[in-house]
Amino acid sequence: MMKKTVFLILAAVMILTASIAAAKTVEPESTETDGLAGVTVHATVGEYDAQTKTFTVTLYDDDRFDIDNIEKLEAGDTLLAGGRLYRVKEKTEEESGDILIATEDGYEIVFFQVGDEDMIAQSTDDDRRYMHAFSILHLPPAAAIRYEDNSDPEKEEPVVTRGLENILKVKAEKEANSIGFDFYATIITLNENMEIEVIHQDFDVAQ
């Protein structure tokens, strides 16, 4: 009887070990940090240093996943999205080609295809895309820097603020009353000299 019990325990341990070994972790692809001059990118525009005349800027990119890796996800696998780990509970492939992942902690993440080989992830709770920070830079403002506030859905045209001093006032007001120049609501355009030319906030991004 004792031998049989020991055998059953060992068998259970072996099955559990095999199950753990079979589970995998899927992570987003890394983002290239070269060739940023002239691009438009999601960013958190942080503190302005009057001595160095630069903003501390954290750049963000969508979490992009190889489509094959998402299609092979199974219950028990781990998914890294938005800097957080999720355990997969269930996967559903929609007729549209989207893939819906239900996690063990009650979240739903939908993956939809971009390009030929990649998928990006979006929360079904608030429609926000999952992103990751890929670079922290100290960037100067361009001489003709402008801020475009298109976050009011009642206004067709953005409210434009020009000049560093005026933009710093707007930034301080937004940080006091809302999320400030946070990456979920903010995109910036860099010129060829890696200076911030435009800080833009849009309703579709900010919601």
Side-chain angles (χ1 to χ4, degrees):
M1 182 67 178
M2 179 64 71
K3 289 183 178 180
K4 184 177 181 181
T5 302
V6 172
F7 174 78
L8 291 174
I9 292 174
L10 289 174
V13 170
M14 291 176 65
I15 292 172
L16 179 60
T17 302
S19 176
I20 293 173
K24 56 187 175 293
T25 298
V26 173
E27 301 180 359
E29 300 168 353
S30 59
T31 299
E32 295 291 334
T33 57
D34 296 332
L36 292 174
V39 304
T40 297
V41 61
H42 282 266
T44 293
V45 181
E47 183 179 357
Y48 178 74
D49 188 325
Q51 291 187 334
T52 62
K53 297 182 179 180
T54 60
F55 286 97
T56 299
V57 179
T58 305
L59 303 182
Y60 288 80
D61 192 18
D62 289 321
D63 283 353
R64 290 177 177 265
F65 299 84
D66 186 286
I67 190 170
D68 290 337
N69 291 337
I70 300 303
E71 289 177 342
K72 293 175 182 177
L73 276 174
E74 298 177 340
D77 289 342
T78 301
L79 173 69
L80 177 63
R84 177 177 174 179
L85 289 172
Y86 298 90
R87 184 66 63 86
V88 176
K89 180 180 180 181
E90 185 179 8
K91 181 184 73 176
T92 304
E93 297 190 20
E94 308 285 347
E95 291 184 3
S96 62
D98 296 346
I99 296 176
L100 182 65
I101 298 294
T103 70
E104 290 187 353
D105 51 359
Y107 290 92
E108 287 189 340
I109 303 172
V110 62
F111 290 84
F112 53 93
Q113 188 169 348
V114 290
D116 295 330
E117 300 178 351
D118 290 338
M119 303 192 91
I120 60 176
Q122 181 173 295
S123 169
T124 61
D125 289 336
D126 54 17
D127 294 332
R128 285 184 171 180
R129 299 195 302 274
Y130 288 88
M131 296 183 178
H132 61 273
F134 69 90
S135 187
I136 299 176
L137 302 173
H138 299 284
L139 300 174
I145 186 174
R146 69 182 186 274
Y147 167 65
E148 299 175 347
D149 186 354
N150 202 33
S151 59
D152 187 345
E154 301 298 323
K155 296 180 180 179
E156 293 185 4
E157 298 296 327
V159 177
V160 178
T161 302
R162 301 182 186 276
L164 176 61
E165 184 176 346
N166 293 328
I167 290 172
L168 288 176
K169 291 179 181 178
V170 172
K171 182 175 182 293
E173 291 173 1
K174 284 191 170 287
E175 288 173 345
N177 300 317
S178 63
I179 60 175
F181 289 175
D182 180 82
F183 73 96
Y184 269 127
T186 308
I187 55 177
I188 64 172
T189 298
L190 304 176
N191 63 20
E192 295 300 325
N193 297 319
M194 290 293 288
E195 299 170 331
I196 302 174
E197 198 167 68
V198 182
I199 301 173
H200 179 90
Q201 290 191 307
D202 190 271
F203 174 72
D204 290 335
V205 177
Q207 64 178 326

